[in-house]
Amino acid sequence: MTVSELEKYFNAFLNPENFEADPSMNGLQIQNSDPESKQIKKIAFAVDACEETARRAAELNCDALFVHHGLFWGHSEKITGSVYKRISTFIKNDLALFAYHAPLDANNPYGNNYGLASRIGLQNTEVFGYWRGMPMGVKGILPVPMTINDLAEKTLRDGKKPNTILPFGKEKISTVGIISGGGSEDVETAVAEELDCFITGEFAHEQFHYAKENKINVIGGGHYETETVGVSLVMKKVADDLGIETVFIESETGL
């Protein structure tokens, strides 16, 4: 499969055309030297496109890198300093870059939010939360009510600890809203919809007292950690569908 064919494959189920308000330039961000003929034999997956993930993908003899956070965010930048280091690492190693931001947050079933919902067993799921008018998150009902600590443990990968646990609401949680990454402000939506718990990545200082005053439980699983979900699900889909060798590059930020 070539880079051009791979872009069509990703676009077919991630549907970037439905997320035109996203400034993230979803899709193929950097091609390789021969996008119509060179065969892609190995693909790396990571949360972020940066010098480190590009370099490590090249060292692993990958032909492409698939990420959630790409290099371009709707405006031009000078190709100097850190921007040069990142872009040059891709070009020098003939490494293609695919990036899907909002499409990978919202996708059902391969996105961050629906992936987290599936992980905790959420049922009767519905759209929850919007970003720039685009549906992003998911809400639903747990099959069995659970404590915030049990829910936090189930939300993250084995051995991972959430950055934030705020037990401000009911002792037993039944209804949950999820917005991965930097979705802190959507706690207000969770309160308005009378949910028992709000799960996000980073939970900001300015929302702390709002959550406390409105008696809602909050789990901040980490921006990075909650967004390993989508890339991991897409990686498995690629391996199953295409038989192409895949590898996940862990590059934690601690945030």
Side-chain angles (χ1 to χ4, degrees):
M1 177 168 280
T2 67
V3 160
S4 295
E5 291 169 337
L6 196 56
E7 182 180 27
K8 292 177 182 177
Y9 167 81
F10 288 136
N11 288 348
F13 67 91
L14 291 172
N15 305 117
E17 68 277 4
N18 295 336
F19 298 89
E20 293 183 355
D22 182 2
S24 308
M25 300 185 183
N26 296 296
L28 179 62
Q29 291 195 341
I30 300 177
Q31 67 170 55
N32 63 3
S33 59
D34 192 354
E36 303 299 332
S37 300
K38 183 179 178 180
Q39 294 297 302
I40 302 297
K41 298 178 181 178
K42 188 175 182 180
I43 305 172
F45 291 78
V47 175
D48 304 304
C50 58
E51 182 186 17
E52 179 193 356
T53 53
R55 173 181 53 77
R56 289 172 60 188
E59 291 171 351
L60 291 166
N61 297 314
C62 295
D63 303 298
L65 175 64
F66 179 104
V67 300
H68 179 48
H69 300 133
L71 296 180
F72 307 109
W73 299 90
H75 59 273
S76 298
E77 294 187 68
K78 293 182 178 179
I79 305 178
T80 59
S82 182
V83 178
Y84 172 80
K85 289 179 181 179
R86 295 175 182 183
I87 293 176
S88 64
T89 304
F90 283 94
I91 294 175
K92 288 175 182 178
N93 291 286
D94 201 21
L95 181 70
L97 173 64
F98 295 91
Y100 292 86
H101 183 232
L104 196 59
D105 281 320
N107 189 267
N108 182 7
Y110 303 106
N112 293 315
N113 296 312
Y114 277 91
L116 287 167
S118 177
R119 186 180 286 178
I120 65 175
L122 215 57
Q123 299 177 348
N124 300 326
T125 55
E126 302 176 49
V127 169
F128 167 77
Y130 289 78
W131 180 61
R132 298 188 178 205
M134 300 174 290
M136 283 292 112
V138 58
K139 66 178 180 180
I141 303 171
L142 293 170
V144 178
M146 62 179 68
T147 66
I148 190 170
N149 289 323
D150 288 342
L151 181 58
E153 184 176 347
K154 197 169 184 180
T155 298
L156 303 183
R157 294 181 291 175
D158 290 345
K160 301 294 181 180
K161 303 296 183 183
N163 292 358
T164 305
I165 294 181
L166 303 179
F168 293 154
K170 296 178 181 178
E171 184 177 345
K172 290 290 188 176
I173 294 167
S174 294
T175 56
V176 181
I178 303 172
I179 298 278
S180 67
S184 185
E185 292 182 358
D186 286 286
V187 68
E188 298 181 16
T189 306
V191 167
E193 299 191 14
E194 300 182 342
L195 302 179
D196 299 336
C197 185
F198 174 58
I199 298 175
T200 189
E202 294 179 66
F203 195 71
H205 171 86
E206 54 266 30
Q207 267 82 47
F208 176 91
H209 289 290
Y210 179 88
K212 188 174 184 179
E213 291 158 359
N214 285 281
K215 297 179 173 59
I216 186 170
N217 294 300
V218 176
I219 297 171
H223 195 134
Y224 173 86
E225 183 60 32
T226 59
E227 297 192 330
T228 61
V229 181
V231 288
S232 297
L233 289 170
V234 173
M235 180 175 73
K236 184 180 186 305
K237 178 176 172 58
V238 166
D240 291 345
D241 289 353
L242 306 178
I244 295 175
E245 185 178 357
T246 61
V247 60
F248 182 79
I249 296 177
E250 192 83 77
S251 182
E252 295 190 26
T253 65
L255 301 173

